[in-house]
Each structure stands twice: as C-alpha cells, then as structure tokens.
C-alpha cells in the first residue's frame, strides 16, 4: 500500500506541455460522424447528439429554443411523466441545450442500461409530438422570465452592446420584442424540428467507456435509414453591421446600480492573435487577481466584481469588460477602466505578472480537460472550426512563447480608446458618464 505523507506539500511544477486523450472518428452507415473519446474508469457513457438547429438556423425568434426544450414533453409512445420516470429509474440523465449555431441532446447513462436509455433518447429525437397544452405553458413561463430579465440593467446593457457590434438583426445579438411571444405558434416549432433534427444535420460525440457494443447500439438506432425524414439544413448567411455609434445609454430609472460594458468586436479562436489576446484579456480582467479587479474593487471599492471576457463565435467574436457600480461612482469607474487599458498600451507587463497569468491559464486549462466528459465538451466547441482537442497542445506552446512586448503591441492594435464601445444602463443621472464619448 502506498504511503501518503499529508504533512509534505506537493512539489511545485509549471506546465510546459500537456497530453490529451485523443479522439477517434467513426462513421455510421448513413454518414453521421461519431467522434469518440474512450477513457475513464467508470462504466458510464455520455452521448451528445448535436444538430444544426441553433439560433443561426431559425427564421423567427424563440423557435430554436422551444423546439429543443419541448422534445422532453412527450412522444408518440410516452408522455413527459413517463419519460422522466424511465430516466430516473435507470439512473440516467437527459439534457437539452440551444446555442448560436447548434442545439444538443445529451444522454448520460450507465452502460448496463444503455440499450434502454438510448431507445428513449431515439424516441425523443425522432418522435416528439410537441403537445399544444405544454407549449402554451412553456411559452407563458418564458414570457414571464423575459419580462423579469428585462428589468435588469446587465441584460439591457448586454443587448445594446451586441446590437452595436453585430447589428440588431444578427443572430449573435438575438434580441426581440415581447410581442414575438404572441406571434409564434406550435406549427412553427414542429416545422423547425422536422427540418433541422435530421441525420444530415447531425453529428454525435461519445465519451466514457466506449466499445464496439456501444457503437453498435448507436448504429442500430441512428444509422442507415432509420430517420423519419431527411433534409439538409439551408445555408444561412448573415452580415455583421457594426455601428459607428460608439456610446449608448439605456435608461432604467428604478435601478439600484448601473451596468457598464466596454469592448469591441474581435475575431474567432482560429485567428493568429487569439492566443495573445487571451493572455492580454486575463491580465486585464480575466481572473480574480486581474488589474481591473485590483483597481476597481480592491483599491477604489467601486464594485463587488469586474470581469473582461473574450467570446469566440463561429464567424466572429468580441471582448467585453462588464461591471455593476453605484450611480455615484459610474463616471470614475469608467475613467479607471480606460486608465487600465491605457497602461497595457503604454507599459510593458512585468515578467513576474506575465509568468503568473501563463501559469494560471495553463492550470485552468488542465482542470477543464481532466475527464472524458470534459474533453467531449471541449471537442464540441472545437469541431465547428475544423479543430480537435490537439488545439490545446498548440495553444499551450503558443502561450508560453508570448512576450511582454507582444502584449503591448496587441493592446495598441486592438484596444485604442476610439475603437471601444461604451454602454451604460442605469438611472438617468448615469447618462453624463458617457457624454464625453459623444
């Protein structure tokens, strides 16, 4: 038996390279690609069915989300209660999610029950009936949630920010009025499901204890001509219409705090500057020890928290700084944010700080890739870009090579004050905080 010395701290090590459990690709007889991550010690599997059925593919608001959500509300052979009872009894979990470019159905199951749980999942995907009574209930709940969310300054500021950098009608903005809840009908949802949830719009990611028997069960239920309809998704193309208006105020007079958003449109994760900008973003506001957190929260006490975030969609991305502050400190908080951005443009980051954030992001990456299920989530995000998880091996190499001078160059290239959008949402007295930008 191995001796464990708990009074001796583990040896400190830095991460110079990483090894990642590789994925394999299998093709079903009807050409559905199956990406396999075989690993782990437990007799469990996760099977995620990913369809071209996201917000990008919908022709009116709400349709993609409702089609995905409602697959759990009943099929031609099972009602919602019976579906929930079956998964509970078999110790399985079924999840649904809708994103900008796709929608997923994820099954987590013990291998010994996979034949039963996979059959119910097949029934949900192919034979959902979308009952009208449940549709009306879900729509009412979503309408109420919409009204509640739009009382929040962070929601109002986010919508305005996305509208300015992508355009009001772009799927990455995804804003709509409350009247849309009264125009959508159940046939819109049924038609979207019939058109998008097909074999030719699907790929599958399997993780966990994956063997020949698991693949045979997937082939039996989802291979060959075992789909009720066949249709390839239309090609959708949306033009980004970035606004020339660089500042905006969204009034919310009864708000206790105001929300500040500062940022700009950027690029996707396949861009050559992406790794360096990730590092820059981390230094600026990407972790608890960041410059913005130290200045705005710890030193000035203007806010409880402040973050900067980089988002990579499939065709574009953006960087945004987000915080909520009291009305009386809105203007000085904005001033301090721009000062920190200017520091990045004008001063070299110290080697100590640069090493710290490189170690931080490397450790976070390892933590996010520590199991077959976590790797399947990462693979799902990489596949649309034509990448697999070996992307992270190169990312670590590129990260280690970034120099302080490159961070300064990137700040000067992408974070000039006149290129940044500033959005404030809050009480009327906060409007003066953006007047200098107009």
């Amino acid at each position: 038996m191995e001796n464990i010395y708990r009074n001796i701290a583990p040896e400190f090590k830095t991460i110079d390279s990483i090894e990642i459990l590789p994925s394999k690709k299998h093709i079903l007889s009807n050409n559905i690609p199956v990406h396999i991550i075989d690993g782990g010690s437990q007799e469990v599997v996760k099977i995620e069915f990913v369809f071209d059925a996201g917000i990008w593919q919908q022709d009116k608001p709400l349709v993609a989300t409702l089609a995905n959500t409602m697959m759990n509300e009943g099929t031609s052979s099972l009602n919602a209660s019976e579906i929930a009872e079956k998964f509970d009894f078999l110790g399985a979990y079924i999840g649904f999610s809708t994103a900008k470019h796709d929608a997923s159905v994820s099954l987590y199951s013990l291998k010994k029950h996979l034949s039963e749980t996979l059959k119910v999942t097949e029934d949900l995907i192919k034979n959902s009936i979308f009952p009208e009574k449940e549709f009306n209930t879900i729509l009412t709940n979503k309408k109420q949630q919409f009204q509640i969310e739009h009382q929040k300054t962070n929601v109002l500021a986010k919508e305005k920010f996305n509208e300015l950098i992508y355009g009001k009608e772009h799927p990455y903005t995804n804003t709509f009025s409350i009247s849309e809840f009264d125009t959508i009908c159940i046939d819109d949802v049924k038609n979207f499901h019939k058109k998008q949830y097909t074999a030719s719009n699907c790929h599958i990611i399997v993780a966990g204890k994956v063997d020949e028997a698991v693949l045979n069960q997937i082939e039996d239920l989802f291979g060959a001509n075992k789909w009720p309809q066949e249709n390839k998704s239309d090609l959708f193309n949306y033009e980004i219409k970035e606004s020339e208006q660089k500042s905006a105020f969204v009034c919310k007079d009864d708000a206790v705090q105001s929300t500040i958003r500062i940022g700009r449109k950027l690029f996707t994760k396949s861009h050559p500057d992406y790794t360096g900008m990730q590092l820059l973003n981390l230094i600026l506001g990407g972790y608890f020890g960041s410059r913005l957190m130290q200045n705005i929260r710890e030193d000035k006490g203007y806010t409880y928290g402040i973050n900067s975030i980089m988002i990579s969609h499939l065709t574009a991305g953006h960087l945004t700084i987000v915080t909520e502050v009291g009305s009386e400190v809105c203007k000085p908080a904005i001033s301090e944010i721009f000062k920190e951005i200017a520091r990045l443009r004008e001063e070299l980051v110290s080697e100590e700080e640069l090493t710290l954030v490189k170690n931080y992001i490397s450790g976070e990456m390892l933590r996010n890739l520590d199991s077959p299920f976590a790797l399947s989530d990462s693979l799902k995000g990489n596949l649309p870009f034509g990448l697999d998880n070996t992307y992270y091996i190169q990312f670590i190499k590129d990260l280690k090579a970034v120099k302080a001078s490159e961070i300064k160059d990137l700040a000067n290239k992408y974070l000039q004050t006149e290129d940044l959008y500033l959005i404030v949402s809050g009480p009327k007295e906060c409007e003066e905080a953006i007047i200098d930008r107009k």
Side-chain angles (χ1 to χ4, degrees):
M1 182 178 175
E2 183 184 358
N3 291 322
I4 301 175
Y5 300 99
R6 298 189 187 280
N7 58 344
I8 301 175
E11 183 183 356
F12 174 80
K13 293 181 179 178
T14 57
I15 300 164
D16 296 318
S17 63
I18 58 174
E19 293 182 6
I20 291 180
L21 194 62
S23 60
K24 295 180 290 187
K25 189 174 179 180
H26 173 79
I27 304 292
L28 299 185
S29 58
N30 56 359
N31 293 323
I32 292 180
V34 181
H35 303 274
I36 303 160
I37 299 173
D38 182 17
S41 57
Q42 305 297 317
E43 292 294 319
V44 292
V45 290
K46 173 189 174 187
I47 304 177
E48 184 163 12
F49 300 86
V50 186
F51 296 90
D52 299 335
I55 292 165
W56 190 271
Q57 289 85 13
Q58 67 184 9
D59 57 4
K60 60 192 303 186
L62 295 162
V63 172
T65 303
L66 285 166
N68 184 263
T69 304
M70 284 201 66
M71 278 195 287
N72 208 23
E73 295 299 327
T75 71
S76 51
S77 59
L78 297 169
N79 63 37
S81 298
E82 290 169 332
I83 292 167
E85 190 175 332
K86 274 188 175 290
F87 282 121
D88 286 346
F89 181 74
L90 296 170
Y93 172 79
I94 189 89
F96 302 85
S97 66
T98 307
K100 291 291 188 293
H101 284 272
D102 58 50
S104 299
V105 179
S106 303
L107 170 67
Y108 297 77
S109 176
L110 298 169
K111 273 186 71 178
K112 64 182 179 182
H113 295 317
L114 185 61
S115 62
E116 295 169 86
T117 55
L118 198 56
K119 197 167 184 179
V120 179
T121 304
E122 182 211 15
D123 198 23
L124 297 180
I125 292 174
K126 298 180 182 176
N127 304 314
S128 286
I129 57 172
F130 301 98
E132 188 147 13
K133 180 182 175 185
E134 282 76 5
F135 168 77
N136 291 330
T137 301
I138 292 171
L139 197 62
T140 299
N141 291 338
K142 284 189 176 295
K143 187 175 182 179
Q144 290 173 345
Q145 188 65 34
F146 179 93
Q147 291 171 311
I148 293 169
E149 289 295 309
H150 281 75
Q151 297 300 311
K152 301 176 182 175
T153 57
N154 64 338
V155 172
L156 299 174
K158 180 181 177 182
E159 289 192 350
K160 192 65 182 176
F161 177 79
N162 289 338
E163 181 184 320
L164 291 183
I165 64 169
Y166 292 119
K168 193 170 184 177
E169 306 299 327
H170 198 278
Y172 293 164
T173 303
N174 192 33
T175 57
F176 50 89
S177 70
I178 196 167
S179 64
E180 295 291 345
F181 288 90
D182 301 322
T183 62
I184 189 170
C185 67
I186 190 63
D187 285 340
D188 295 328
V189 178
K190 288 180 177 178
N191 290 337
F192 182 82
H193 176 266
K194 186 177 180 181
K195 189 175 179 183
Q196 300 301 138
Y197 285 81
T198 66
S200 55
N201 294 328
C202 176
H203 65 272
I204 301 171
I205 302 173
V206 191
K209 283 284 190 181
V210 186
D211 56 20
E212 197 67 27
V214 171
L215 295 177
N216 288 338
Q217 290 178 72
I218 295 173
E219 171 64 38
D220 286 344
L221 295 173
F222 295 94
N225 299 316
K226 296 177 179 173
W227 293 74
Q229 63 272 330
E230 181 55 41
N231 182 58
K232 182 65 181 171
S233 177
D234 294 335
L235 292 176
F236 295 86
N237 189 23
Y238 298 95
E239 182 184 355
I240 291 174
K241 296 179 180 176
E242 201 170 0
S243 174
E244 293 183 2
Q245 177 192 350
K246 294 294 184 182
S247 302
F249 175 71
V250 184
C251 188
K252 190 75 180 70
D253 259 336
D254 56 351
V256 177
Q257 288 191 312
S258 58
T259 295
I260 300 167
R261 270 193 177 248
I262 296 173
R264 62 161 296 169
K265 185 172 79 66
L266 280 178
F267 34 71
T268 71
K269 67 196 305 182
S270 57
H271 192 279
D273 287 340
Y274 185 79
T275 303
M277 281 300 292
Q278 279 276 25
L279 202 51
L280 183 155
N281 174 65
L282 203 69
I283 294 166
L284 179 62
Y287 74 118
F288 195 77
S290 70
R291 292 183 175 191
L292 287 174
M293 192 69 90
Q294 292 300 312
N295 182 347
I296 313 295
R297 174 193 149 109
E298 300 296 318
D299 185 24
K300 306 297 187 305
Y302 291 158
T303 183
Y304 185 76
I306 181 168
N307 299 290
S308 64
I309 307 159
M310 273 186 69
I311 301 291
S312 171
H313 298 303
L314 186 57
T315 65
H318 64 265
L319 179 145
T320 180
I321 297 160
V322 188
T323 190
E324 294 182 358
V325 299
S327 304
E328 70 283 2
V329 296
C330 185
K331 194 170 182 177
I334 292 170
S335 174
E336 291 300 322
I337 292 170
F338 279 113
K339 282 181 186 175
E340 290 298 341
I341 293 171
R343 276 183 66 202
L344 285 170
R345 291 198 306 265
E346 296 163 3
E347 302 172 7
L348 284 176
V349 178
S350 71
E351 283 303 316
E352 183 183 5
E353 185 178 13
L354 192 59
T355 302
L356 187 149
V357 293
K358 284 181 179 179
N359 290 341
Y360 176 87
I361 197 170
S362 301
E364 280 295 294
M365 185 168 290
L366 279 190
R367 190 173 66 83
N368 292 330
L369 301 172
D370 66 353
S371 72
F373 289 2
L375 285 167
S376 75
D377 291 337
S378 299
L379 184 62
K380 179 188 173 188
N382 286 330
L383 287 173
F385 295 92
L387 304 169
D388 60 19
N389 284 342
T390 57
Y391 162 79
Y392 297 110
I393 297 174
Q394 187 60 45
F395 182 87
I396 290 289
K397 289 181 181 175
D398 294 344
L399 187 80
K400 292 289 179 185
V402 174
K403 298 175 181 173
S405 59
E406 293 175 58
I407 298 295
K408 186 178 175 185
D409 290 344
L410 288 170
N412 278 286
K413 188 174 180 181
Y414 295 112
L415 298 183
Q416 293 295 333
T417 302
E418 62 270 22
D419 295 331
L420 299 174
Y421 290 86
L422 166 62
I423 316 298
V424 174
S425 178
K428 180 69 177 172
E429 59 265 31
C430 294
E431 186 172 13
E432 67 174 82
I434 68 163
I435 288 176
D436 292 343
R437 295 290 307 279
K438 287 183 175 178

